[in-house]
Amino acid sequence: MCKVPFDIHVDSSFPDADHIPYVEFGECVAFNNEKGGVIEYLKEEKIVDLNSKHPSVSYSDVLSTKAMVLTWLSDALQYELWVVTDGNIPHDIYFSDLPWPIGKILYWKKTREVKQQLGITKLNAAEKEEEIYQKANAAYDALSTRLGDQIFLFDNSPTDVDALFLGHALFVLSALPDASVLRSCLQKHENLVKFAEHLKVQLLEADSSAARLGSSTDPSSSSTPRKRASSGRSYKPKPRAKKERTEEEKTFRRRAKYFLATQLVAVLLFLSLMGGADSSKLDDEDGVDYED
């Protein structure tokens, strides 16, 4: 949305890690779980700040709307993705590059974390589900009212709230199944759906077409989509020279190896424990037979 050029790289070492997404800019790295996240880091370093173009917009309005997207809508999406679905969608997104047992263990671990985060237990599951969807509906209602017939939520140019909601809306409309309750809630608001589809065409599909055209005319061009800055646009990062791996990168790769090794050990322990439990159960059944 800021018209700043960037490349996308997929990190499959820690597919469900809290630090993803992260941004590398020159020698700096901003992780999503540090310093207020990637967006706040980009603001502080004066690299990207969508809100700077809205001096007249109330900061409290932007902040409260942003908080609603990051809490009520984020919780609802986490709930649908990790608790409601059968696991196929999270597997395709996060774990498809990992061995099957590790993917299963990570899915179980993440599902448990989300339930703890949302305070879901066996006793209150129905009440929590109703509360989550009520808040999501209220958030969509508020956003739909705020958007109205405008192109963006605040004034005629985007803020970071537009960016956050766009990411949420595109994921809900594109990744969740047709039977999704959250998707149905969003589709009730025609202006929100149009908002997401319009920006998808403008920001994603147009750039993908341009990237494919560039690839067909220039064999040496990268297959990774790159966002092009508009003419006269403010910030252009310096091209990065090829350099040796930093200590952070080396540490990151070492952690990835340790991560896979520990997950393999966890799988083996899990299987051995399950095997022990099954055998003890059989022994108990045999004991009952002998008594009869």
Side-chain angles (χ1 to χ4, degrees), residues 217-267:
T217 56
D218 182 6
S220 64
S221 62
S222 170
S223 60
T224 305
R226 173 181 286 271
K227 305 290 181 186
R228 299 293 178 188
S230 61
S231 57
R233 184 61 196 163
S234 55
Y235 201 90
K236 289 188 178 180
K238 296 184 294 185
R240 295 175 58 183
K242 209 168 185 179
K243 60 180 187 299
E244 294 184 2
R245 290 176 186 165
T246 63
E247 283 301 317
E248 278 186 323
E249 291 172 332
K250 292 177 181 177
T251 304
F252 199 72
R253 289 180 177 274
R254 283 198 299 270
R255 287 178 181 172
K257 294 178 182 177
Y258 297 150
F259 170 78
L260 292 175
T262 53
Q263 294 304 320
L264 178 59
V265 171
V267 170

Side-chain angles (χ1 to χ4, degrees), residues 17-207:
D18 292 334
H19 67 259
I20 295 175
Y22 63 89
V23 170
E24 293 183 8
F25 185 81
E27 298 298 320
C28 301
V29 179
F31 294 102
N32 192 51
N33 59 346
E34 296 178 358
K35 299 179 181 179
V38 169
I39 289 179
E40 292 303 318
Y41 171 84
L42 294 175
K43 285 183 185 177
E44 289 176 7
E45 297 297 318
K46 302 189 185 305
I47 300 168
V48 169
D49 186 1
L50 283 168
N51 296 347
S52 63
K53 297 185 290 183
H54 297 269
S56 61
V57 173
S58 170
Y59 178 72
S60 60
D61 287 346
V62 175
L63 196 61
S64 60
T65 309
K66 181 178 178 180
M68 189 168 54
V69 174
L70 291 175
T71 53
W72 291 358
L73 294 185
S74 177
D75 288 350
L77 181 54
Q78 292 283 317
Y79 176 74
E80 284 236 343
L81 188 61
W82 298 104
V83 181
V84 176
T85 63
D86 58 4
N88 290 331
I89 295 174
H91 178 270
D92 290 343
I93 296 171
Y94 296 105
F95 310 128
S96 57
D97 293 335
L98 297 177
W100 177 83
I102 294 178
K104 282 291 184 183
I105 293 294
L106 288 178
Y107 172 74
W108 173 82
K109 174 175 170 285
K110 185 65 177 181
T111 300
R112 188 179 177 189
E113 287 177 2
V114 170
K115 286 182 178 180
Q116 289 176 345
Q117 175 189 335
L118 299 178
I120 298 173
T121 64
K122 290 182 179 179
L123 297 177
N124 69 359
E127 291 81 359
K128 278 291 181 181
E129 177 176 293
E130 184 179 358
E131 177 187 337
I132 287 169
Y133 287 129
Q134 280 181 350
K135 289 181 176 179
N137 269 314
Y140 287 144
D141 288 341
L143 288 167
S144 179
T145 303
R146 160 65 66 179
L147 181 62
D149 295 329
Q150 301 177 134
I151 300 175
F152 299 106
L153 291 167
F154 297 90
D155 222 343
N156 294 318
S157 55
T159 63
D160 56 1
V161 184
D162 292 276
L164 289 168
F165 177 67
L166 177 63
H168 168 88
L170 289 180
F171 190 94
V172 169
L173 294 171
S174 304
L176 294 185
D178 293 338
S180 162
V181 176
L182 188 62
R183 182 176 178 178
S184 299
C185 293
L186 175 56
Q187 288 176 328
K188 292 176 185 176
H189 301 280
E190 187 178 349
N191 61 341
L192 295 181
V193 175
K194 284 183 178 178
F195 166 88
E197 291 176 346
H198 169 72
L199 290 176
K200 177 183 178 183
V201 171
Q202 187 180 37
L203 299 176
L204 300 179
E205 294 179 356
D207 288 321

